[in-house]
Amino acid sequence: MNKTADKVTTSRLIEMKQKGLRITSLTAYDAPTARLLNEAGVDVVLVGDSVANVKLGYENTLPVTLDEMLHHVRAVRRGNSRALLVADMPYLSYELDSREACRNAGRLVKEGGAEAVKIEGGIEVAPVVKELLRVNIPVMGHLGLTPQAVHKLGGYKVRGRKPQEAEKMLTDAKILEGAGVFAIVLECVPAELAAEITRKVSVPTIGIGAGSACDGQILVVDDLLGLTDNPPPKFVRRYANLRDEALRAARQYVQDVQEGAFPAPEHAYRQPIEAKTKN
Ligand code: KIV
């Protein structure tokens, strides 16, 4: 049980939308990052399946398995306190049959400590959302650019520019709301469409590359911290350049060891100790 008094819950997020309070969300894949994000006051921590490409070296999110997700969810759970902990359901762990979806989501909750799960898609996953709720697992939706559909979509592109696509996304958002999701991620969606969806659904929208009118924002934490070696997507704002700093430190270490500057020569730390014992 979380001891934090102001623990973020799914109903708290809906209340925040009603009060016009913006929701903050970031991904995390390990315990120290989860601790750091909680200390910073982040409302929702997502163990994204982006762990596949951000941390595990896969090309995209498709290969990551439920067991790999579980490993990271457990780690994040150990570092999490106040934030709502949401776990992504990996590709093919929920689409085929609702019972299997419940079993898999159940593992993320029961063994991993997740407090909610996120699944990608609209009308086609609405029955799964209902089944998950039947076994008491809150669900976050995900529309727009859904990375698990990268091959069908033909790449990582903005979704909803064409009127038909925009119309379908709005309908999907309403269907997800009706099925009972507590929030919807809108990824790479034109700002005006994201604003319209945000106005027309009662649950919060969490945008990533979807403009400023969403009820909240989410980013991949490694993008925000500047930890990635590839340039981040255009919509990302980098708040730090930790990769450059880490590279500088690692190079300095290599140089110091090679030149005998680390560890410090014996007399550098013996002298003060000897001096201290004389006094
Ligand atoms: O996997 C992930 O990190 C995500 C967010 C970017 C929304 O789905």
Side-chain angles (χ1 to χ4, degrees), residues 31 62 73 107 113 120 130 138 193 220 233 257 278:
L62 302 184
V73 174
R107 287 191 69 200
E120 297 183 3
K130 289 182 189 161
L193 176 58
V220 167
V257 171
K278 267 184 208 156

Side-chain angles (χ1 to χ4, degrees), residues 1 56 65-66 68 72 80 82 86 96 109 116 126 131 141 153 161 172 212 217 234 239 248 255 261 265 279:
M1 190 68 184
L56 301 180
T65 65
L66 189 72
E68 286 170 324
H72 289 275
N80 195 59
R82 173 187 171 271
V86 183
L96 301 179
V109 172
E131 272 303 288
L153 301 178
R161 279 212 178 108
D172 278 340
S212 61
Q217 296 292 327
K234 270 192 250 156
Y239 286 82
R248 188 203 56 72
Q255 186 185 331
N279 294 331

Side-chain angles (χ1 to χ4, degrees), residues 27 29 46 48-50 88 118 142 185 187 208 218 220:
T27 65
Y29 314 106
L46 171 72
D49 59 353
S50 51
D88 248 337
K118 174 165 81 60
H142 186 156
V185 167
E187 180 165 355
I208 171 161
I218 183 164
V220 167

Side-chain angles (χ1 to χ4, degrees), residues 273-279:
I273 293 169
E274 279 164 8
K276 205 174 164 192
T277 49
K278 267 184 208 156
N279 294 331

